[in-house]
Amino acid sequence: QYIAYNYNDENMQPSTDIKLEINYDAENDVLYIGIKDRSSSYGDEFGDLIVLKDMDSDEITGLTILDFSEKLK
């Protein structure tokens, strides 16, 4: 079992709303990592990395890594 910490919290309290989900799309070579509910998220692009953030709180809800297999070489 994993315990996630909310680094925005000065007291470093464990977060109970973390749900790690990892999916790989081999056809498009994309790795999706979900940390929280991403239904109301937007994405900030940094090259081949897309950081998903909650629209209300700006907390990171997931990551999308494009051309993932290239990163492993």
Side-chain angles (χ1 to χ4, degrees), residues 7 10 14 21 24 32 34-35 40-41 44 49 58 62 64 68:
Y7 291 100
E10 292 176 8
E21 181 181 331
Y24 177 67
Y32 301 98
I35 302 169
S40 64
S41 296
D44 284 334
L49 174 67
D58 252 3
T64 301
F68 180 70

Side-chain angles (χ1 to χ4, degrees), residues 24-32 47-50 64-73:
Y24 177 67
D25 176 350
E27 184 176 330
N28 295 299
D29 194 22
V30 179
L31 182 70
Y32 301 98
D48 290 339
L49 174 67
I50 301 169
T64 301
I65 304 171
L66 307 176
D67 301 318
F68 180 70
S69 66
E70 293 296 316
K71 313 290 186 285
L72 299 176
K73 293 182 180 179

